[in-house]
Amino acid sequence: MNDETSAARKRRMKVVVDLSRCEVFAQCVFASPTTFVLHGDEVLEYDPSPDEAAHEQVILAARACPVQAISIGWSEEPEDMEARVP
Amino acid sequence: MPQETLFQESARVSNRANPYPLYAELRRTPVSRESDGTYVVSTYREVSSLLYDPRISADPRNSADPPPMYKNPNAPPPEPSFIQLDEPRHEHMRRLTMKHFGPPRSPGRISGMAARIGQLVDKLLGAHQGRQEIDIVQDLSYPLPVMVICDLLGVPLEDEPRFRDWSDILTSGLDPDPSLQNDPAFLQRIFKASAEIRVYMAELLKAHRRTPNDSMLSAFVNDPEARAQVTDGEFMSIAILLLIAGHETTVNLISNGVLTLLRHPDLLARLRREPELVPAAIEEVLRYEPPVQFRNRTTLADVSVAGVTIPKGAEIILLIAAANRDPLRFPDADRFIPDRTDNQHLSFGSGVHYCFGAPLARVEAQIALREIIRRLDGPVLAVDPPPYRFNPALRGPSHLVVNFERLTD
């Protein structure tokens, strides 16, 4: 068993919004209001590495985008990676 | 009697179960002038570009042949809601309404309804414990969106039998059948329903002003910013739009989804094993069997599309359901592929008039489909094709009887 190894590793979600495609239909904000936020009527802000609790909603958000501007990537990285990033 | 056009033929009741072969024929001429002077646009690139074109008007007052409501000699037409307005008024009205529905001011309102929607689905399906038959339309896909829209807007559910009829009659005005549009009895029914629903809505909005609650209509009609800029007639028109749209569209999405999956048992089995695919499958149902088949527009100038110059003042039909199956845009366009990745369908429209209620429709359909797939053991269609609702613009079954072995918990 390698429970220890898998506990030390965590699946990280990486979100990228292609802002040259985005037309601010804001469907992602409806689907996942903690990860995607609209400022005024025009400006989209988002969390590029949302917590696991938000993953399901973020996947729905990507599916709902009318211009398919949202990409989701995954990486398996050691949990303490952030601590090592300068 | 003038000869029936290809589009009119596709809209005929006898072709309701499968208009797609006729749509394929229409696509051979991307922009075709019908014998009655209407232009039908049926290919993806052309429909998509016109949805973004500011020379294309959604305002019936620009039309030489406006919808029935504008033909009443005894009453002025009701104020248009934002679905029938052009810029800048459209954007302005839509933003004031959106304030109480979604981002930026109410971002969590719709996702916050998911738990409630889950309870309603549970209750509607749970009523079939111990039975082996369900009419998906009458028992679930009609009542669910009605309950949800009433909840959201703050419309009493017990008034439903009244506005069910009004909604039916008013949406029949979208039927392009000339024998209907020129029938005085048909027009009278529409005028009467319009007058009655407006009296009803005026009373309801007054009640929300007297006794506000936390519903969307209460928030909207009491919002000082809206009150300064929206007339009482416009408040009514917007409230009626939201109520009717909530009644007539999501029902088709859920019913068409169940119908399509039961016609593809292998895919149904796959979705049962992999429920995380349901949201993608809903997008494919939207593309493959769109709840709204076409939308009408009018040109404000001469507009050249695909080598055809549509003259100013012409009626246009944007045939979304044909564009969604355009093989130049979608590989295997006539195949239902639930995990299709490149799926930029036009079923919620595009551009400034992109469906206001799309996020709510998605949440309802995702939860309803997921639960129907999970809980019905051994479902099969009792009748195929099912009977359809009369309306060709808002296309979906009127009944969808499904036999099953048992309802799981």
Side-chain angles (χ1 to χ4, degrees), chain B residues 25-235:
Chain B
E25 226 174 292
L26 276 160
R27 269 197 312 269
R28 285 157 60 182
T29 314
V31 180
S32 67
R33 186 185 181 279
E34 303 274 282
S35 55
D36 63 354
T38 302
Y39 287 76
V40 178
V41 186
S42 52
T43 43
Y44 185 91
R45 195 177 61 182
E46 283 66 32
V47 171
S48 170
S49 78
L50 290 179
L51 285 168
Y52 282 94
D53 196 320
R55 297 169 299 173
I56 304 300
S57 171
D59 189 334
R61 293 170 299 186
N62 291 316
S63 169
D65 183 25
M69 220 85 85
Y70 291 80
K71 296 173 183 161
N72 189 349
N74 303 315
E79 292 83 345
S81 64
F82 52 80
I83 199 173
Q84 295 180 315
L85 286 173
D86 298 329
E87 304 313 341
R89 188 73 177 160
H90 159 266
E91 170 65 27
H92 194 59
M93 291 293 107
R94 181 171 164 133
R95 191 183 58 75
L96 288 169
T97 314
M98 186 58 83
K99 235 175 120 176
H100 307 287
F101 181 78
R105 296 291 291 275
S106 312
R109 179 158 217 156
I110 298 307
S111 57
M113 291 179 79
R116 168 83 180 133
I117 293 168
Q119 286 166 3
L120 292 172
V121 171
D122 190 48
K123 189 176 139 203
L124 291 166
L125 280 177
H128 290 74
Q129 200 66 257
R131 301 190 203 164
Q132 271 98 41
E133 187 180 289
I134 182 169
D135 180 346
I136 291 292
V137 179
Q138 300 300 319
D139 298 336
L140 198 132
S141 56
Y142 181 78
L144 177 70
V146 170
M147 289 166 162
V148 172
I149 198 75
C150 285
D151 234 33
L152 171 73
L153 293 180
V155 173
L157 190 59
E158 58 270 24
D159 295 339
E160 193 275 331
R162 303 170 67 197
F163 51 70
R164 165 181 258 194
D165 288 340
W166 294 328
S167 176
D168 241 29
I169 294 167
L170 292 173
T171 49
S172 67
L174 298 171
D175 194 321
D177 185 344
S179 64
L180 272 183
Q181 296 288 346
N182 299 321
D183 173 3
F186 172 79
L187 294 177
Q188 283 307 324
R189 270 170 26 119
I190 291 193
F191 301 154
K192 183 164 175 275
S194 170
E196 286 173 356
I197 197 171
R198 293 186 80 78
V199 169
Y200 171 83
M201 202 47 93
E203 287 306 314
L204 183 66
L205 297 185
K206 264 189 226 157
H208 277 300
R209 287 219 169 113
R210 273 195 310 268
T211 323
N213 57 25
D214 59 3
S215 70
M216 182 180 159
L217 286 183
S218 251
F220 184 39
V221 297
N222 290 301
D223 175 353
E225 190 192 2
R227 287 192 78 161
Q229 298 170 62
V230 182
T231 66
D232 279 348
E234 286 173 318
F235 272 126

Side-chain angles (χ1 to χ4, degrees), chain A residues 21 23 25-27 29-33 36-42 56-57 59-60 63-68, chain B residues 52 95 98 101-104 107-108 110-111 279-280 283 340-344 350-351 354-355 358-359 362 366:
Chain A
R21 291 181 72 92
E23 294 177 26
F25 288 105
Q27 302 300 296
V29 187
F30 280 100
S32 183
F36 300 90
V37 178
L38 205 54
H39 293 283
D41 290 320
E42 300 279 312
E56 201 182 318
Q57 285 195 334
I59 293 167
L60 291 178
R63 283 273 177 225
C65 179
V67 291
Q68 304 193 321
Chain B
Y52 282 94
R95 191 183 58 75
M98 186 58 83
F101 181 78
I110 298 307
S111 57
E283 298 304 313
R340 193 183 278 276
T341 46
D342 175 18
N343 194 356
Q344 226 169 296
S350 192
Y354 187 85
C355 177
R362 283 193 165 107
Q366 285 162 2

